[in-house]
């Protein structure tokens, strides 16, 4: 099963099995605060398409649970749910050229090729890149930064 | 008018006014008064001598010393008395004529009377061959003393005629001498008496002649002395006249030059006065034009005041309208702001609906996922979830549309607010401009009033100037007339100066000739 989401300029598909849940971003943050679990959020569009710009705030969150942490990858909209999609694997030539192994296949939906993402790999890369730089920050500080960075999509915070 | 110049008189002494030399030549006795005195003396002497002779003859006759017959004595006494009457008549007539100031008549009466008297005496005293003929000498010689040039000759001719006539009459026997027959001592006595009488009278005449001559000489000397004095004075006067002539010539030259300058100046003055009159007339014409222009300006100012009054009313009305517009705009602005606030509230509600739709969409999506995970049992629930998701999407779409409409409303509201604010500001500026226009209109009204007042003053001033110009022109005309008369007078003075120069030159020449 795949879930089709929309970022600033493009639609992507993620596996249902990679998701912890789908929430509104503010709801997800409140739930994380109530459960006192480390929480991080980052705009998926800004991560995948750094040069793209969107006027719409990514208000819906794709929640991924990784190493007792909840990572919210924000998208503009979760459009639909596909039960039995036909996913084509990436060609070997293309797969060998990728620096990050975030894409796992191609879905043709409504005559449009949609990249199927490995959302856990994306979440894992985010954690690895940020781990060394933000290791000493406290959770409270991280919470404050997370609140302030609600609209700072290019600067995701890690708890 | 040219006055004839009076020739300077050369008479410097009253004596010169009398015909002195002519009088001395014609009469050595001087004037008639002196001659009358001489005649009175001579007549008196004649009366005395004649009376004495007659008295002697009468006395000798009465005493009988003449030895005449009684008849003859009577005739002698009668004749002697007749002679005395003649003498008295002659002397009386002469003195009467002298008394009445008829000197020449007195002289003629005396001389010709004595001539007749001598003729009568000749007849009485023995005829032409008697002693009476001697008596003719007395009037002839006396005529030389009193008469005028030819009187002696005329008396001599008349005496000669009378003597010749008596001789002729006696020769013809027509008259007979009274004492012709007398003899004895009477005839010699008569000769003696006549000789004595005639001699005495001639001696008296000679005495008078001598005195007259002496007086004449003294008078001539005195007159010569006076003439010398007069000549001296004349010489002095001549020198003075020479100096006076020179000064007169110099003064005449200066007068001539001055008259030239005066004539030239008067001509230039007349020309200048004419030019000034022309200029003043042009000034008067200009003043009339200015007065006309001032009247036009005053009329324009009055019309401007009327128009300004209407304009001021319009400005006042526009200010009032601006104030009302400002109030309306402020009211509209408040209403628009209120509408904007309401739109904002609607937007917030729409945001809430949007959030709910979004939430519903996610819930429906999650429900669909869960339903799909439930297998066949979740099919119906999946359908419901799909319907819910569809409704949520529709609500979300509707909310988006409403939000878009609200955004447009808010934009329009903001634009309206901005427009209202701009309109309010424009109205404020319009009010300010209207007030400024009103102030400008007030200033223009004051300026127009001052212009009208100034125009009236200019009109009055130009009228006075015009009147003054006319008076000046009239005065300048009078001055020009005076200048012309002055020029004419200067020319007359010039002519007079030229004549005066000529006169001075003639005087100078006369003095030195």
């Amino acid at each position: 099963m795949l879930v089709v989401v929309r970022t600033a300029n493009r639609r992507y598909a993620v596996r249902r099995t990679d998701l912890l849940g789908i929430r509104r971003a503010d709801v997800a943050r409140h739930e994380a605060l109530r459960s006192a679990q480390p929480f991080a959020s980052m705009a998926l569009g800004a991560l995948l398409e750094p040069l793209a710009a969107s006027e719409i705030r990514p208000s819906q969150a794709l929640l991924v649970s990784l190493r007792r942490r909840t990572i919210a990858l924000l998208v503009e909209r979760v459009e639909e749910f596909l039960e039995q999609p036909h996913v084509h694997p990436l060609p070997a030539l293309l797969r060998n050229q990728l620096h990050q192994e975030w894409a796992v296949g191609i879905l043709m939906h409504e005559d449009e090729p949609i990249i199927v993402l490995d959302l856990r790999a994306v979440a894992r890369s985010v954690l690895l890149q940020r781990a060394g730089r933000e290791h000493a920050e406290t959770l409270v500080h991280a919470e404050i930064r997370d609140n302030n960075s609600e609209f700072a999509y290019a600067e995701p915070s890690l708890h | 008018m040219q006055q004839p110049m009076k020739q300077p008189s050369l008479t410097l002494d009253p004596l010169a006014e009398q015909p002195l030399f002519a009088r001395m030549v014609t009469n050595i006795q001087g004037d008639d008064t002196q001659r009358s005195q001489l005649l009175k003396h001579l007549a008196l002497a004649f009366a005395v001598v004649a009376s004495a002779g007659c008295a002697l003859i009468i006395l000798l006759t009465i005493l009988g010393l003449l030895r005449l017959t009684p008849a003859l004595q009577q005739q002698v006494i009668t004749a002697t008395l007749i002679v005395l009457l003649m003498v008295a008549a002659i002397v009386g007539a002469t003195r009467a004529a002298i008394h009445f100031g008829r000197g020449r008549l007195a002289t003629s009466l005396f001389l010709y009377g004595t001539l007749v008297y001598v003729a009568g005496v000749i007849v009485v005293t023995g005829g032409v061959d008697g002693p009476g003929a001697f008596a003719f000498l007395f009037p002839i010689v006396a005529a030389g003393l009193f008469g005028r040039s030819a009187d002696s000759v005329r008396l001599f001719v008349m005496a000669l005629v009378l003597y010749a006539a008596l001789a002729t009459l006696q020769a013809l026997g027509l008259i007979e001498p009274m004492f012709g027959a007398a003899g004895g001592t009477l005839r010699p006595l008569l000769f003696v008496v006549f000789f004595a009488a005639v001699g005495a009278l001639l001696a008296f005449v000679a005495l008078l002649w001598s005195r007259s001559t002496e007086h004449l000489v003294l008078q001539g000397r005195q007159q010569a002395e006076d003439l010398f004095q007069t000549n001296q004075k004349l010489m002095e006067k001549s020198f003075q006249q020479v100096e006076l002539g020179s000064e007169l010539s110099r003064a005449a030259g200066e007068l001539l030059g001055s008259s030239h300058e005066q004539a030239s100046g008067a001509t230039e003055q007349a020309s200048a006065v004419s030019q000034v009159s022309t200029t003043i007339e042009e000034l008067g014409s200009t003043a009339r034009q200015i007065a006309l222009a001032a009247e036009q300006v005053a009329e324009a100012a009055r019309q401007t005041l009327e128009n300004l009054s209407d304009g001021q009313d319009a400005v006042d009305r526009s200010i009032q309208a601006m104030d009302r517009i400002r109030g309306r705009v402020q009211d509209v602005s408040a209403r628009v702001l209120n509408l904007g606030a309401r739109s904002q509230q609607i937007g917030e509600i729409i945001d809430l609906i949007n959030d709910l739709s979004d939430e519903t969409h996610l819930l429906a999506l999650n429900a669909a996922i869960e339903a799909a995970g439930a297998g066949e049992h979740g099919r119906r629930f999946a359908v419901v979830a799909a319907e819910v998701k569809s409704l949520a999407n529709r609500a979300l779409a509707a909310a988006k549309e409403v939000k878009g409409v609200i955004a447009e409303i808010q934009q329009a509201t903001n634009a309206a607010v901005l427009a209202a604010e701009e309109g309010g500001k424009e109205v404020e500026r319009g009010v300010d401009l209207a007030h400024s226009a009103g102030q400008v209109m007030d200033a223009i009204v004051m300026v127009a009033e001052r212009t009208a007042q100034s125009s009236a003053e200019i009109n009055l001033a130009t009228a006075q100037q015009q009147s003054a110009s006319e008076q000046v022109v009239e005065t300048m005309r009078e001055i020009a007339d005076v200048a012309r008369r002055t020029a004419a007078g200067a020319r007359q003075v010039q002519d007079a100066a030229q004549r005066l120069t000529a006169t001075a030159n003639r005087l100078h020449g006369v003095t030195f000739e």
Side-chain angles (χ1 to χ4, degrees), chain A residues 16 22 24 60 77-78 83, chain B residues 358-359 361 365 369 393:
Chain A
R16 169 67 185 86
I22 300 171
R24 288 182 56 194
Q60 297 179 358
R77 185 166 179 75
V78 180
E83 284 188 275
Chain B
D358 198 16
E359 187 78 18
H361 169 75
L365 188 62
I369 292 171
N393 287 335

Side-chain angles (χ1 to χ4, degrees), chain B residues 36 39-40 43 88-107 109-110:
Chain B
S36 297
L39 185 58
K40 285 167 66 177
I90 291 168
V91 172
T94 300
R95 292 186 68 90
I98 291 171
H99 178 73
F100 290 106
R102 306 292 299 271
R104 184 167 181 80
L105 178 61
T107 303
L109 285 174
F110 181 75

Side-chain angles (χ1 to χ4, degrees), chain A residues 1 3 16 21-24 26-27 57 59-60 77-81 83, chain B residues 355-356 358-359 361-362 365-366 368-370 372-373 379 389 393 396 400:
Chain A
M1 290 185 288
V3 176
R16 169 67 185 86
I22 300 171
R23 300 286 187 275
R24 288 182 56 194
D26 51 349
V27 174
R57 187 184 61 177
S59 60
Q60 297 179 358
R77 185 166 179 75
V78 180
E79 289 188 344
E80 59 185 331
F81 166 66
E83 284 188 275
Chain B
D355 291 342
L356 292 175
D358 198 16
E359 187 78 18
H361 169 75
L362 291 178
L365 188 62
N366 286 325
I369 292 171
E370 293 299 329
R379 290 291 178 187
K389 177 173 171 286
N393 287 335
L396 185 62
K400 284 184 179 176

